[in-house]
């Protein structure tokens, strides 16, 4: 995951404009500090590259969530290394696009609920305008290809005046993987878990 976010952050058009948070810094404590200071609201694209947990997969909670780095000694659920859906909903975002580069992030809040009612719904409550989420387990290499292949041309299109939207950017990235990939990469299991939810048209 570290190489994934670094490779995307260093891509043409993004280098120097991103903040990458890795390893021990990639914790709930850091996220809460960024949230409290208002720094989190300044980012238009936010990416989480980590492991997504389905409802009931983490002991002690029935919520879905994202795995972050826990402290050496866990003394509070506010910094236990598990960012639950309800904790996500309490964040203050102003993001055009939140990318959840993890497994099963489009899943339901509970086993009997509808798809997208878990993490996806929580990020919309936190004021994300569009999400890229996954319907099943993802290949790290596929995530890099698809996300970098969507974000970089999208930024270039805005600068060049084409101004197409996120949905079109994701579609083009998927087509590029199919056209240029090997036999494994051309299979839908590789490139198809991700889906755009929310505002997919041209915008900011």
């Amino acid at each position: 995951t570290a190489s994934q976010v670094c490779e995307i952050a260093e891509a043409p058009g993004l280098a120097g404009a991103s903040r990458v948070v890795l390893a021990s810094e990639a914790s709930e404590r850091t996220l809460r500090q960024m949230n409290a200071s208002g720094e989190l609201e300044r980012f238009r694209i936010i990416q989480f590259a980590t492991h997504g947990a389905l409802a009931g997969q983490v002991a002690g909670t029935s919520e879905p969530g994202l795995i972050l780095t826990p402290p050496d000694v866990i003394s509070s659920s506010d910094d236990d290394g598990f960012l639950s859906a309800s904790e996500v909903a309490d964040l203050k975002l102003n993001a055009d696009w939140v990318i959840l580069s993890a497994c099963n992030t489009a899943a339901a809040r509970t086993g009997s609920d509808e798809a997208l009612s878990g993490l996806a719904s929580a990020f919309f409550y936190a004021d994300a305008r569009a999400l890229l989420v996954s319907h099943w387990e993802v290949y790290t290499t596929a995530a890099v290809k698809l996300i970098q292949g969507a974000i970089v041309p999208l930024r270039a299109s805005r600068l060049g005046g084409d101004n197409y939207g996120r949905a079109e950017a994701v579609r083009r990235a998927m087509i590029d993987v199919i056209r240029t990939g090997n036999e494994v990469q051309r299979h839908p299991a590789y490139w198809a878990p991700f889906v755009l939810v929310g505002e997919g048209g041209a915008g900011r």
Side-chain angles (χ1 to χ4, degrees), residues 154 158 162-167 199-204:
L154 180 62
R158 303 279 168 86
D162 294 338
N163 204 31
Y164 60 77
R166 287 172 280 277
E199 175 53 60
R204 290 184 292 173

Side-chain angles (χ1 to χ4, degrees), residues 127-174:
D127 281 340
R129 284 177 281 280
L131 303 175
L132 191 68
V133 291
S134 63
H135 279 297
W136 59 79
E137 295 183 359
V138 301
Y139 290 88
T140 297
T141 52
V144 172
K145 286 178 180 292
L146 289 170
I147 295 167
Q148 184 171 320
I151 291 177
V152 176
L154 180 62
R155 285 176 64 89
S157 80
R158 303 279 168 86
L159 295 174
D162 294 338
N163 204 31
Y164 60 77
R166 287 172 280 277
E168 176 64 12
V170 173
R171 187 187 74 86
R172 293 186 184 194
M174 288 180 171

